[in-house]
Amino acid sequence: MNDLSEFPEVSALREMRSDVPLPTSEHLAPQRELLAAVFREETGGAGNGTMRTSLSPSLSLPRRRLVLVGAAAVAGLAVTGGVVASLPGSSTRTASPARQLLSAQASADTLELAAATVEKLGATEPGPKQWVYEKSTSFGSGGPQTSEQWTRWDGTGSARLPGLPYEGDLDDFDPNKLQVWYGPNQEEKWKEEGYDDRSQRQFYRFLATLPSDPDRMMKRIRQEHAIGDIPGETPAERDWREIDVLYRSVLIPPKVQAGLFRALAKIPGARVEKGVEDPVGRPSMGVTVTYTKPSASGWMGKQEIFFDPETYAYLGEVKGLGPVKFPEGMSPPPMESQEPDPGIIMARDAWGVVDKPGARP
């Protein structure tokens, strides 16, 4: 995946450390930086241990298992017939009713309805040469920024608009030109040598092995250390963080989507909020938790994941960020240079499966 320091995911998290594989100079894939931003979002630099990656074997990074080598900032929608169309914009949808925060029982009932709906979806795994497409918009102090990402299902290619440069002479670099990266198939090597990297295909197949029961599913996910441990994190914070990351996967098997909704219903303090709009103004259903003080991973205030109120497809998220902690011996910048930190605000605009980079559903 890809991202640069000027993108809001990175600026919002300032100096938090990265935890994703970085390609070697000759294989500097555009996909690298957005994975780094995702880890910074989820751990606040709090991950422990190291990870050896297949793309950069000599690089030591905080451990993160089940790394998604694929679409950015990702979520749950099964594929039927191999193609998924984007949702219509807010201009074609019925206006949202008044905002309503449901009770705990009403929230659980709504999430069960969502689970029962999505588990009936059909699913067809993409072919190895097909590409997962995602268009997303992130919001920060610099305003909204939209990008498109293509990731080959077998993990051997990625592409992005705006394009990101490779190392070297940038005089002729055109960010408006699709930049496509190809590399060798690493799936067997990752598996045999114990690397934590996984292609989208490998990750999807791992998800397909998860039990549908939400308690057993979350236990299995925790056993895999999918996002790493953070000292002091409560079980509820950990489960919310795990689920939030999993929903960023563009393709999730229907039974896992259902299990995630049922797992959300079990998180203390989680509530469904109806009559809301996602960050780009589409009528949505929100699932929220609120942290009155910074969580162990650094999040504070209202955290909300948005879903389509009819199909229950993932639409995006808003995450409040707690005060930035500066390492011992490092002074914060002068107050006049500090801007309010917006946290993370992201919407998935469109997604699907296509046959080549640059194509759209």
Side-chain angles (χ1 to χ4, degrees):
M1 299 181 189
N2 45 29
D3 192 83
L4 290 175
S5 60
E6 68 267 21
F7 284 92
E9 290 93 339
V10 178
S11 61
L13 296 175
R14 300 178 183 174
E15 300 298 326
M16 297 181 182
R17 288 180 56 83
S18 168
D19 181 24
V20 294
L22 300 179
T24 57
S25 58
E26 65 269 22
H27 292 134
L28 186 60
Q31 63 188 42
R32 65 176 190 172
E33 294 294 347
L34 191 52
L35 269 176
V38 167
F39 177 80
R40 286 192 289 271
E41 295 170 23
E42 297 318 316
T43 67
N48 296 320
T50 59
M51 176 181 75
R52 182 172 181 244
T53 76
S54 60
L55 295 178
S56 184
S58 63
L59 185 65
S60 292
L61 299 169
R63 173 169 283 284
R64 173 190 175 94
R65 294 178 61 88
L66 304 183
V67 172
L68 297 181
V69 183
V74 298
L77 185 67
V79 184
T80 303
V83 176
V84 183
S86 62
L87 288 178
S90 58
S91 62
T92 63
R93 303 296 293 271
T94 303
S96 297
R99 182 184 291 262
Q100 180 185 13
L101 184 65
L102 302 186
S103 67
Q105 184 58 56
S107 295
D109 292 343
T110 301
L111 291 170
E112 176 57 36
L113 175 61
T117 300
V118 298
E119 68 185 350
K120 296 177 183 178
L121 296 173
T124 301
E125 182 182 319
K129 296 182 180 181
Q130 288 188 293
W131 298 68
V132 176
Y133 168 79
E134 181 184 31
K135 180 180 180 181
S136 60
T137 299
S138 297
F139 297 79
S141 57
Q145 296 189 38
T146 298
S147 63
E148 296 176 281
Q149 176 84 25
W150 291 261
T151 306
R152 197 162 125 153
W153 189 243
D154 63 5
T156 63
S158 68
R160 179 180 171 120
L161 280 174
L164 298 180
Y166 290 81
E167 288 182 336
D169 186 4
L170 304 182
D171 291 343
D172 297 327
F173 175 73
D174 181 0
N176 295 316
K177 180 179 179 181
L178 183 69
Q179 305 292 320
V180 184
W181 170 87
Y182 288 98
N185 192 315
Q186 301 285 323
E187 289 180 325
E188 287 304 316
K189 181 178 181 181
W190 294 337
K191 181 178 179 180
E192 292 174 2
E193 300 188 18
Y195 293 162
D196 294 329
D197 309 54
R198 297 195 185 194
S199 67
Q200 291 226 5
R201 175 169 63 183
Q202 287 176 310
F203 190 76
Y204 182 91
R205 290 177 178 177
F206 163 75
L207 293 178
T209 69
L210 295 177
S212 57
D213 175 79
D215 293 325
R216 293 170 56 213
M217 183 182 73
M218 294 307 298
K219 180 179 179 181
R220 173 79 184 284
I221 291 171
R222 287 191 293 269
Q223 289 173 341
E224 290 286 343
H225 300 291
I227 56 176
D229 297 318
I230 295 179
E233 190 170 40
T234 68
E237 291 173 352
R238 172 63 181 261
D239 282 353
W240 178 270
R241 194 162 59 94
E242 295 270 13
I243 292 170
D244 177 56
V245 170
L246 286 172
Y247 268 122
R248 296 178 188 173
S249 302
V250 177
L251 305 183
I252 298 180
K255 71 170 186 177
V256 179
Q257 294 181 54
L260 292 177
F261 279 121
R262 292 176 175 128
L264 280 171
K266 290 177 173 287
I267 295 178
R271 295 288 186 273
V272 169
E273 193 169 19
K274 291 191 173 182
V276 300
E277 292 184 345
D278 74 355
V280 293
R282 293 172 294 193
S284 303
M285 178 188 83
V287 181
T288 75
V289 294
T290 300
Y291 300 140
T292 57
K293 59 182 180 180
S295 67
S297 55
W299 301 107
M300 184 176 175
K302 188 176 184 179
Q303 321 292 314
E304 189 158 20
I305 304 174
F306 299 97
F307 301 93
D308 182 271
E310 297 175 4
T311 67
Y312 303 106
Y314 170 91
L315 297 180
E317 65 178 302
V318 170
K319 299 177 68 173
L321 188 65
V324 175
K325 296 182 179 180
F326 292 90
E328 185 176 353
M330 178 183 293
S331 299
M335 288 300 295
E336 60 268 20
S337 67
Q338 297 186 46
E339 297 181 359
D341 207 321
I344 299 299
I345 304 174
M346 187 278 293
R348 173 175 287 160
D349 303 310
W351 61 93
V353 176
V354 295
D355 292 329
K356 61 181 181 180
R360 297 174 178 87

